[in-house]
């Protein structure tokens, strides 16, 4: 789950990480009030969208008067950035920057731990820095039972800074950012850039946080920050029903048991010249009720032309799956062609049961996908 | 032979009285797995299918001399179950439960490591050494004893692949579903090393996914250390960037972790990468000639 | 630092450890109001003093009416228990007890950790149980980096209980008691007894907590609970000045550098038939100001007849110590005889400096103590 | 020979720029201790008495190959200093600082243990191997090279005893002030073992206090494992029960930990227990004949 910059910064502030003052606006006119409330000559108007690349898209502008703030607000509100419409902006104090750093905590698969990533090359795309000058990226794995005591925070701090004034500011920022990460079950907390101002203060000028979906059940305050898009809402609803659903813009609806098999199915659709309308993992079993719910989800898709059901019969045998599918489709009203590919235990019995039904039955994934592409 | 589990494995089922625990205990028992006990706090002294139930893993290990455990408890309690198993002296812990908060997994994994225990999973189907022992939820009937080691990040895709192998007369020494979470226990590297050292394994199938760089690391390892033929498969070649595809692990982040990168790295290491799961048996047969 | 039972129970309650309702009274008449507020037929009137043995001293009484509560309150308030005057009582609900247990967390020197001590023999002097039937005492050392996760709490719980209802109540009690211990820098948290009531509920019927003095600087809320006796106040003041002072009731005032040497000095006073008026460790150095302050502390003692200064000259040499003593006593106005025993580096030079002064100078500890005992 | 420190000891001073750190660095240097560096965050690159100062223990250990450190930082920061030293690879950590919260010491001690480091203190005067190395605040001039090992819970009382030993011509192999806090590092048991194994040590003096049962445990150990003559002394024989006597350790709790119990246990183990510190040299001399 992602949250906006302003939300992440509010969390930062609660955890004692210094940020600029910020005022949230959803109406362009309010930018003038915000400008005057801040009482600074220069402010920054920043689009709040749950995607990156705001700067390049013109979503971040400097304003030197209330009029200018409003005019930028007009331009930015309603703007589209990578399919996301900007509905919120923040007006925030501008600061004079003398140096920029990149700081994040993130879950690392390889070390199976939270790692701290730091770089003196802040403000840029960190992955580009990592690719071109990996020696400028510092990574430290954090022991979950030790955390970041003062001595470790100092060790990390001295990697980026020399002056004790910066060390003393940076140590609590690191410790608080880690505490925030752990306490909120984050999967990423990122400050990019952390800056030194002309007054020698360290401030988080941008903030990004994402959270572990598996832990949201114990993070009600974080869950309250969730602002799902329509698609995310559909995906979240699907998750509640035990599916994993991702909306895509092709024409071939997929219903597969297992995420890996679902991805492999989509790959083959592409390979054979089709376009999947979605990713849908209906999970281990495939009882009729689940199939009915999955189909009603698929049928909402505007572009849908054909449905491909790809099931591996494992613990649940293919003959049982076939019975379930037949039962489910007694209740599903649709003319859309449905291709079924059944493999696994008792596959022949399963396929025999489906013979003569509304389904087009395929034996191999290749056949099934070809049939689906041809049926569009 | 095989890796990790065999006839000598003494298995405990954590959460044996739950719906899934009981169901798969029955399946594993039918397969011939040596299940020596199970746990369910407060139900110590009872039994499930004739298998003794204990209140704690400490009691269970003390009384049964178990060395391996499989976890079926709900996500909220699963990390705690891993730590209990490790603290009680279990040396191989297979965690089937899915949906465990990642920070809990990190703690539990680190704890297990310090206690000298290996972890498989979480969010995995478990593993099987066909004809010897099954510790997981994999469909027993599709496996056949043989000389192919299968390691995979996926569940049903693994079954699909194994099904084709078995159908083509290629049995398996051991097949392991490693799990699809951001943080999981034993992974390609460690399992490749075990399979390379297992005399019963003559060919290896590795099934990867987009996201992370484990396949690239595995390829580098194979290049330098694995002499047995390896066939690979990568799911998610056409997954749109940034979309999460069921497995939290399958997020493409930036330029690395794409299927193309992985396939290139694998091919550079001498691994044949299949386009479709059904191609795997013939590719492997050719390499093993 | 010790706190009262009622204060410990308030902390328990904050940490989710079940206690009986309790009402604090300092005036006997209020016991009637408290009785009626509780609305129970039976209540217990309990003396609140910072020492043990209240029960044996008659400081705990059952009352079945408001009149009876007031009459017990009259008897208990003002009572002396081991030199402590009872100024406070609590009125608390009586419970019907079906079983009693002993539970505590305490700092353990041997394992260098916090240990959990549990026994099914609650309600008694746990040290007696430990001495007579050590097998009935269960001890578990807690790893400071692991704490008490659920699986450990369950393991401990199953040592005392069988029934899952009790396990489920006991697990959070254990975890919360440990959390309380750690969060407040306690050196002891004790529940004795923890009982099972006739309604099958686990309740902490008594509570004891002591705290690590070294950590009070970061425990302002705990420090607020401190109710020092006059003597403790003097001792605390001394500590602020860098001394360690304990008030005793003999006649020979002691001023020693180092706790071990101070104890050895007191031992020898006793050995030679005297009685120390105090324990006073003036610490490493012995600059004139410290000596002046220490002497003014000693001179407040009503029984004081003679002062024995026993100094080992280590880093600070004996001749420097002698100069310091002479300087200090220029300002100290008293006729009380002062014996000085100086050993260590440059001891002869030191003693020579003191010759002809108001001090009686001794060479060995034996001589010094004999002189002090004789000078009373 | 000696135990724990000698001519080869490479010492770092943590908190070298503070008042106490600087003062005792000078004293130790005068004594001939091989001080290779010190730490003070933000003062890296400077020096104290010609000794290089580093920002962190990591830097200091990297650059100096130190194996031992002594801590003079304020109580609030001292536990952290112990952990930093252990994490940086120091193998013997001597913590002089007093007043550290006990729970901090427990954590730091456990951490040091896991990193394979030994801790002496906190709240201790340190140790000396006369003629070789001094790592502490003990008054150097009272010590003399020789064959008596001294281990003690007390500070000035130790000096008193050592002073009498030296005055009687009995030099010391090593003298260690273990510290008086409720939780401290190396204690009687471990140090007795070291002294027993040290060829240069021919007699042992152990100075205890009321509180705890370390002396009783030491006595049991001596009975079974120590063949060298041991003379003991216990301070606090007449301390009133329940009163805290400067050392937090010296609390008599209930029936155990009294001076009488300790003396009885020690005498039962063949230890001669002195009534006065000044009796120690002659008692020891008699035993060593």
């Amino acid at each position: 789950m992602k949250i906006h910059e302003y939300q992440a910064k509010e969390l930062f502030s609660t955890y004692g990480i210094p940020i600029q003052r910020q005022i949230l606006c959803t109406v362009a006119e309010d930018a003038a009030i915000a400008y005057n409330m801040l009482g600074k000559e220069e402010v920054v108007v920043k689009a709040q969208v749950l995607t990156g690349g705001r700067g390049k898209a013109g979503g971040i502008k400097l304003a030197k008067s209330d009029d200018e703030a409003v005019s930028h607000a007009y331009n930015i509100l309603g703007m589209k950035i990578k399919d996301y419409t900007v509905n919120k902006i923040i007006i925030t104090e501008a600061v004079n920057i003398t140096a920029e750093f990149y700081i994040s905590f993130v879950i690392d698969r390889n070390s199976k731990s939270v790692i701290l990533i730091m770089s003196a090359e802040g403000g840029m795309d960190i992955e580009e820095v990592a690719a071109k000058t990996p020696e400028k990226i510092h990574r430290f794995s954090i022991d979950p039972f030790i955390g970041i005591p003062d001595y470790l925070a100092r060790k990390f701090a001295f990697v980026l800074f020399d002056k004790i004034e910066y060390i003393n500011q940076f140590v609590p920022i690191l410790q608080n950012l880690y505490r925030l990460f752990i306490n909120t079950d984050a999967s990423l907390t990122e400050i990019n850039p952390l800056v030194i101002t002309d007054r020698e203060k360290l401030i988080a000028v941008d903030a990004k946080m994402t959270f572990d979906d598996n832990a949201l059940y114990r993070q009600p305050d974080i869950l309250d920050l969730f602002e799902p898009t329509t698609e995310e809402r559909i995906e979240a609803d699907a998750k509640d029903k035990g599916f994993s659903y991702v909306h895509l813009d092709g024409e071939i609806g997929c219903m597969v048991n297992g995420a890996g098999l679902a991805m492999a199915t989509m790959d083959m659709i592409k390979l054979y010249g089709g376009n999947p309308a979605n990713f849908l993992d209906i999970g281990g079993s495939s009882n009729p009720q689940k199939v009915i719910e999955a189909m009603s989800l698929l049928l909402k898709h505007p572009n849908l032309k054909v449905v491909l059901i790809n099931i591996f019969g494992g613990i649940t045998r293919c003959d049982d799956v076939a019975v379930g599918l037949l039962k489910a489709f007694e209740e599903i009203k649709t003319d859309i062609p449905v291709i079924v590919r059944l493999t696994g235990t008792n596959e022949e019995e399963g396929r025999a049961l489906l013979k003569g039904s509304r389904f087009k039955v395929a034996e191999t994934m290749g056949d099934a996908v070809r049939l689906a592409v041809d049926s569009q | 032979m095989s890796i990790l589990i065999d006839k000598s494995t003494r298995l405990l089922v954590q959460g044996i009285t739950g719906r899934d625990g009981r169901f798969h205990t029955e399946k594993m028992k039918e397969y011939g797995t040596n299940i020596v006990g199970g746990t369910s706090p407060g139900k110590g002294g009872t039994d499930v299918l004739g298998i003794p139930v204990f209140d704690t893993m400490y009691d269970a290990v003390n009384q049964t001399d178990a060395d391996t455990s499989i976890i079926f408890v709900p996500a909220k309690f699963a990390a705690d179950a891993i730590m209990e198993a490790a603290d009680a002296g279990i040396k191989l812990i297979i965690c089937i439960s899915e949906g465990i908060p990642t920070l809990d997994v990190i703690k539990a994994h680190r704890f297990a490591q310090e206690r000298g225990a290996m972890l498989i999973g979480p969010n995995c189907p478990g593993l099987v050494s066909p004809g010897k022992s099954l510790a997981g939820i994999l469909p027993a009937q599709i496996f056949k004893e043989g000389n192919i080691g299968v390691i995979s990040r996926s569940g049903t895709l693994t079954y699909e692949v194994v099904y084709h192998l078995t159908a083509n007369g290629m049995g398996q020494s051991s097949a392991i579903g490693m799990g699809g979470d951001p943080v999981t226990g034993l992974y390609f590297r460690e399992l490749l090393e075990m399979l390379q050292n297992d005399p019963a394994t003559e060919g290896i199938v590795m099934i990867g996914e987009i996201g992370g760089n484990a396949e690239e690391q595995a390829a580098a390892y194979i290049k330098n250390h694995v002499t047995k033929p390896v066939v690979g498969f990568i799911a998610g070649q056409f997954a749109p960037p940034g979309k999460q595809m069921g497995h939290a692990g399958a997020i493409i982040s930036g330029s690395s972790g794409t299927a193309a990168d992985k396939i290139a790295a694998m091919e550079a290491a001498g691994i044949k990468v299949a386009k479709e799961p059904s191609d795997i048996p013939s590719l492997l047969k050719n390499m093993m000639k």
Side-chain angles (χ1 to χ4, degrees), chain B residues 216-227:
Chain B
E216 290 87 332
Q217 291 187 333
Y221 182 79
I222 287 167
K223 199 172 186 173
N224 295 318
H225 300 99
V226 176
T227 57

Side-chain angles (χ1 to χ4, degrees), chain B residues 137-215:
Chain B
I137 59 172
L138 313 99
Q141 63 277 9
I142 65 169
F143 294 93
K144 186 187 154 188
E145 208 165 341
N147 60 358
I148 309 299
V150 180
I151 48 182
S152 170
R153 282 172 70 176
S154 171
T156 39
L157 187 54
T158 313
Y159 310 159
E160 174 92 21
V161 169
V162 166
Y163 187 75
H164 289 297
L165 287 173
T166 299
N168 282 275
M170 304 177 82
Q172 302 88 40
S173 50
S174 292
I176 299 103
M178 309 179 303
D181 273 2
V183 171
T184 50
L186 293 181
Y187 227 57
F188 287 122
R189 248 293 315 269
E190 302 92 318
L191 293 170
L192 282 167
E193 187 175 344
M194 292 181 200
L195 290 173
Q196 169 67 20
N197 294 334
D198 174 39
T201 301
E202 289 171 27
I204 298 170
V205 176
M206 60 176 278
I207 301 163
E209 270 176 24
I210 50 170
N213 65 349
E215 289 82 359

